[in-house]
Amino acid sequence: MKYTLVTGGTGFIGSHTVIQLLAQERAVIILDNLSNSSRAVLPRISSLSKKEPLFVEGDIRDKALLESLFEQYEIESVVHFAGLKAVGESTEKPLMYYENNVWGTINLCQVMARFGCKSIVFSSSATVYGDPASVPIKEDFPTSTTNPYGASKLMVENILQDLQASDPKWKVILLRYFNPIGAHKSGQIGEDPADIPNNLLPYVTQVAVGKLAQLSVFGDDYPTHDGTGVRDYIHVEDLAAAHVCAVDKLTEFSGTKIFNLGTGTGYSVLDIVKTFEQVTGEKVPYSITPRRPGDIAECFADASLARTELGWHATRGLEEMLEDAWRWQSQNPNGYADSE
Ligand code: NAD
Ligand code: UD1
């Protein structure tokens, strides 16, 4: 049997992607060190997909473990989600981010190369565009970063491109996500931040469920339609579907491909608050506070390349994203902790 190895497969985006890969009859091995996810997601993945992915608790920095996995199983492709992702933490602990995200990926690729598995889909981010000169953002826009998290993503992109250039057998797909939100329709899997959320949507849902008092809206003096920051929110199920297309694409080409994954539409912080209140009937108290350092005014994708080359486009709108995020949060006020 040929396997797809999903690093970080118990995390937010990974867990949704694993379910969709299993639905396409792919055999999946999840490798995750559970540093930012819970074992409790595994029975939910199995019950939703009616299939059993193999799960290995372990670290991408553990070469002996990776070697034993590649020895034991015929792994034909890797979807590489594993990484740390908190921007603020990355500025406090840059070495931890570079070790985990950059060195971890080098380690993974060394073992992949040794075993002749040279097909990888990598989770990158719109953060690699820095503060873009204009929107919508296309894949050929200049890249730059403002924090160690973003720098680690860009370094890995460069390393994978260099690796591919050195050996044409490598097939590399770099997926630049915009702002993933939402949750599985069942309400059984979703985003479960370990601490106080940094990102907007989990903060909004935790205010609505009563765990946090009120939302701080970081600045209302941006040059946007209502002064608050504009982002391209994409449903995690649409994002997961793009990974299935990317894994399929790996069999068709050789080289490096880069795709933006977004809807192409930007919404402001206040658009999010108002739409959330409308679709859920819950109140989200907020106050306007100063801008968050490092934030940009507007960020949304031109995702037309993914449509033409991957045969993928986002199909779910903002209301559905917010309804699904709320179903998950309201059914699991403490995330996976309730079932651990
Ligand atoms: P997540 O934290 O929920 O998932 C990442 C998973 O990787 C976690 O389960 C964690 O335990 C695991 N992990 C971390 N380091 C590991 C290591 N060394 N070895 C093994 N497992 C390890 O995050 P997510 O939101 O699902 O993001 C997945 C990927 O997408 C990350 O690489 C992230 O940087 C990237 N990304 C996320 C967003 C976003 O907004 N969620 C946006 C752009 C890019
Ligand atoms: C953040 C990261 C980015 C990462 C992305 C996805 C920063 C500076 N950037 O981007 O590197 O790729 O997440 O993980 O952290 N907002 C509030 N109040 C809040 C939280 C957010 O008003 O409590 C606003 C922000 O100012 C922004 C919007 O909501 O305008 C979205 O914020 P967020 O969800 O953190 O995503 P990004 O800023 O796009």
Side-chain angles (χ1 to χ4, degrees):
M1 182 146 31
K2 290 186 174 168
Y3 288 88
T4 298
L5 175 66
V6 181
T7 72
T10 49
F12 172 44
I13 306 168
S15 55
H16 290 82
T17 302
V18 165
I19 290 177
Q20 293 199 24
L21 288 169
L22 291 169
Q24 299 298 312
E25 307 302 332
R26 286 197 177 267
V28 170
I29 305 172
I30 296 173
L31 173 67
D32 200 301
N33 66 4
L34 302 178
S35 59
N36 197 39
S37 55
S38 163
R39 195 180 276 281
V41 74
L42 292 167
R44 300 190 188 194
I45 290 176
S46 303
S47 89
L48 290 169
S49 62
K50 313 249 178 317
K51 299 206 172 77
E52 294 288 334
L54 291 170
F55 173 66
V56 178
E57 181 176 348
D59 200 294
I60 54 167
R61 291 165 295 177
D62 182 345
K63 198 167 248 169
L65 172 71
L66 287 174
E67 284 171 347
S68 77
L69 266 182
F70 278 84
E71 257 155 30
Q72 234 178 312
Y73 302 102
E74 194 184 339
I75 297 172
E76 62 175 354
S77 55
V78 175
V79 183
H80 179 30
F81 293 105
L84 300 174
K85 63 166 185 176
V87 173
E89 183 183 56
S90 80
T91 60
E92 285 153 26
K93 300 175 183 168
L95 295 180
M96 188 168 100
Y97 272 67
Y98 291 124
E99 188 200 322
N100 201 84
N101 295 2
V102 182
W103 159 236
T105 305
I106 292 172
N107 204 44
L108 174 66
C109 290
Q110 284 173 334
V111 176
M112 288 174 68
R114 214 189 116 196
F115 286 85
C117 170
K118 297 185 175 180
S119 297
I120 186 166
V121 177
F122 173 63
S123 300
S124 189
S125 167
T127 195
V128 301
Y129 294 114
D131 191 352
S134 63
V135 280
I137 299 169
K138 290 174 89 79
E139 287 83 353
D140 60 1
F141 275 29
T143 51
S144 69
T145 57
T146 53
N147 56 69
Y149 165 71
S152 76
K153 288 287 163 191
L154 193 52
M155 281 179 199
V156 170
E157 284 201 3
N158 290 334
I159 289 166
L160 292 176
Q161 292 186 76
D162 288 346
L163 183 58
Q164 200 292 319
S166 75
D167 175 354
K169 291 205 182 81
W170 277 91
K171 297 158 183 241
V172 173
I173 298 186
L174 308 175
L175 299 178
R176 293 177 177 162
Y177 312 156
F178 281 65
N179 290 62
I181 61 169
H184 192 272
K185 254 312 161 237
S186 63
Q188 287 189 46
I189 62 171
E191 188 169 10
D192 184 17
D195 299 310
I196 295 179
N198 300 306
N199 294 119
L200 178 63
L201 228 285
Y203 207 104
V204 166
T205 58
Q206 292 199 14
V207 169
V209 87
K211 288 179 76 178
L212 296 168
Q214 67 166 5
L215 172 72
S216 297
V217 174
F218 298 145
D220 66 352
D221 56 353
Y222 286 104
T224 61
H225 65 271
D226 61 16
T228 66
V230 166
R231 297 290 184 276
D232 185 339
Y233 296 92
I234 172 167
H235 199 299
V236 64
E237 288 280 79
D238 279 330
L239 206 54
H243 289 76
V244 175
C245 295
V247 172
D248 289 345
K249 185 84 183 170
L250 287 171
T251 57
E252 289 171 20
F253 82 109
S254 159
T256 300
K257 295 210 176 273
I258 304 179
F259 297 109
N260 284 341
L261 298 181
T263 63
T265 305
Y267 291 101
S268 74
V269 179
L270 292 181
D271 290 335
I272 296 287
V273 171
K274 283 178 201 146
T275 312
F276 183 87
E277 290 185 337
Q278 273 160 20
V279 299
T280 66
E282 302 293 325
K283 283 301 288 174
V284 181
Y286 69 85
S287 65
I288 307 291
T289 61
R291 292 181 178 192
R292 177 171 66 180
D295 271 358
I296 56 176
E298 261 191 312
C299 177
F300 56 92
D302 178 331
S304 53
L305 193 64
R307 187 187 277 264
T308 50
E309 285 207 24
L310 267 189
W312 170 90
H313 67 280
T315 60
R316 295 160 180 88
L318 184 63
E319 294 189 356
E320 187 172 353
M321 299 182 212
L322 298 176
E323 271 166 13
D324 293 346
W326 178 238
R327 189 177 305 106
W328 154 253
Q329 180 74 73
S330 53
Q331 288 180 14
N332 306 269
N334 300 307
Y336 293 108
D338 290 332
S339 59
E340 272 169 348

